[in-house]
Amino acid sequence: MENMGTYDDSNVDVGSVVEAICLDDVDTPLYKVESLCMRCGENGMTNFLLTLIPNFRKILLSAFECPHCGERNNEVQFAGEIQPRGCRYQLNVQSGDLKMLNRQIVKAELATIKIPELDFEIPPEAQRGSLSTVEGILLRAADGLDVLQEERKKVDPKTAEAIELFLVKLRACATGKLSFTFILDDPAGNSYIENIFAPSMDPSMNIKFYERTLEQQAALGYLSDSSKTAEGAEQKFSVENKDTPSTATTEPHGSVGAAAAGRKAIAEGSSAEMVEALFRYSAPEEVMTFPSSCGVCANQCETRMFVTHIPYFQEVIVMASTCDGCGYRNSELKAGGSIPAKGKKITVSIKNVTDLSRDVIKSDTAGVIIPELDLELASGTMGGLVTTVEGLVTKINENLERVHGFTFGDSLDGNRKTRWQDFRDRLNRLLSIEEPWTLIIDDALANSFVAPATDDINDDKQLKFEEYERSWDQNEDLGLNDMDTSSADAAYDSINLSSKN
């Protein structure tokens, strides 16, 4: 860890530590607070340190030590905000690979750890927030189970024998003798597993971000009634809105001037970048407003929606919502129409500054490839974006720095630090156009788009669109293999037949 202060003041109160969280200065001193030892009842000492993990986020480390009985423990708390979505890391650890076991782990307080091969789960209450490694977490869990083994042998020998056999397997995993899958699931989105291949993709690790359920929102303190279920929330929503018309209300296009109503309505719930990019094409004729529920706090809010057409692309639906209760804002861009029969790969050659200003629509199913950097982002990375080529590269840089934490910590070896710094410099050089480079957007649903630099898209020789047949695996990931539309097709055919007669 960096910036380990040496300040020592036993009279500093906890309020000073809380105030330090709000400071931008990372050279925060080390605070010491006298605390009660829960083992012997005497007073021990708790050390607090606010530190910034480079390219991750600000955390508060606390370490307790009792000089009377030797009790020691430590904990990690996050000083920043809860992330908009939860995260799930899945790491495949092969036997004999000690580097995998040495990966650093940031486990938040509400995170759950699972090992499916052992049918083993560490719930949030079993291990508090910690900064450790894969090996350290497994050995700590094994030691925790082993503490009461002598008592178990006296009371329930069969259970004690089963746990003894399990501990052998768990310690075998911790020492690299067995292959296993290490899953870290955190609804707050603040946990992290180190990527030793950064900035490249990690072939052994899979990262997914997801929307939290109502139960997870309640655990994070967003819901006042933790017993509220999805069904109950749905029933409450129906009762509260029984007088609300089922059809969406619309704002007249000319009420506050041409396109002004649409601009204002979308801007209230969307980023300025998205609004500016979308209105280059056409202004919406009407903005529809309908009631919905906040995805974070589940309170009632309004969602605004409009449909606009992008030349050479298709109709798109823009949905933006903002919650007055918690302040959460969300904007989404959805493609209109049916699911395309083929996927699409867009290749654009970037040669000058004008190319950096090309508008880009990247859907949440699209992957991004830059061959010159050997960079490949899997589909779904960064979600859906409405930006420019320059903005896309900038967001890639920011996203890599956020996901690949511990990049510049003092525990990182020199070769990996140099490799990451070199990659970041090369990524930044793309924006200076020192040499031509290629941007490839591969979207299995063909919902992404790069704007041409000429009035006629056929005259743009630097822009290339390719359609391809989706593989079975791609259809499986998109849920298309299990989609059965035979009943709907039969209904449409019967309607068309009766209309002709």
Side-chain angles (χ1 to χ4, degrees), residues 196-216:
I196 60 177
F197 298 97
S200 301
M201 292 184 63
D202 190 338
S204 302
M205 185 162 62
N206 183 29
I207 307 174
K208 289 185 178 180
F209 298 94
Y210 60 86
E211 299 295 333
R212 287 185 282 266
T213 63
L214 287 175
E215 290 76 10
Q216 290 171 333

Side-chain angles (χ1 to χ4, degrees), residues 397-411:
N397 193 10
E398 294 173 354
N399 188 72
L400 289 175
E401 288 185 350
R402 176 192 174 279
V403 173
H404 303 306
F406 303 106
T407 306
F408 296 107
D410 52 15
S411 62

Side-chain angles (χ1 to χ4, degrees), residues 186-200:
D186 181 14
N190 281 326
S191 295
Y192 169 78
I193 297 180
E194 179 189 13
N195 178 7
I196 60 177
F197 298 97
S200 301

Side-chain angles (χ1 to χ4, degrees), residues 484-496:
D484 184 8
T485 60
S486 57
S487 298
D489 293 339
Y492 286 126
D493 292 339
S494 62
I495 293 174
N496 293 333

